[in-house]
Amino acid sequence: QVQLVESGGGSVRAGDSLSLACVASGGSFRLYGMGWYRQAPGKQRVLVALSDRGTNTIYQEKGRFTVSRDYGTNTVTLEMKSLTPEDTAVYTCFLQYGHGYEGQGTQVTVAS
């Protein structure tokens, strides 16, 4: 079955960098989009980044966040730099395959 496993969350200080990785298993997903949502406390979930068939798009924090994809390992990576407390959120990986799949979410906490 399809599973998404995230890694790389944690607690950092403002100005630090952090990298999140998500590995999809259970198939080959070259033709399907993978990306990241985030949901900050008390706020709606928003789309952060999408990698789809060679096109990588950042929707939030352009200039500080970068998304990349390794199609050979079914991995999507979100590189975040110059983090601020406003980046504190649960970051969830998703795969646009079938009815859609999501990871369990990983907490990113940025202290001032």
Side-chain angles (χ1 to χ4, degrees):
Q1 70 276 21
V2 177
Q3 283 189 317
L4 301 180
V5 178
E6 299 140 335
S7 61
S11 297
V12 297
R13 301 187 68 85
D16 286 350
S17 299
L18 203 59
S19 178
L20 306 181
C22 173
V23 180
S25 60
S28 178
F29 306 111
R30 292 178 176 270
L31 298 181
Y32 302 93
M34 292 183 70
W36 295 89
Y37 294 110
R38 74 178 181 185
Q39 186 166 20
K43 296 187 177 181
Q44 289 190 326
R45 187 165 73 169
V46 297
L47 176 63
V48 176
L50 174 66
S51 178
D52 188 7
R53 284 166 288 185
T55 299
N56 296 326
T57 305
I58 292 290
Y59 293 90
Q60 306 291 331
E61 316 303 341
K62 295 180 181 181
R64 294 195 299 116
F65 288 10
T66 304
V67 64
S68 60
R69 182 88 172 263
D70 184 332
Y71 289 88
T73 61
N74 288 334
T75 302
V76 62
T77 301
L78 183 67
E79 301 278 355
M80 305 181 291
K81 63 180 182 181
S82 302
L83 287 163
T84 74
E86 288 68 39
D87 295 316
T88 294
V90 175
Y91 288 73
T92 303
C93 171
F94 65 87
L95 169 65
Q96 295 175 326
Y97 172 75
H99 59 73
Y101 295 87
E102 295 185 1
Q104 76 282 4
T106 186
Q107 177 69 46
V108 172
T109 302
V110 184
S112 58

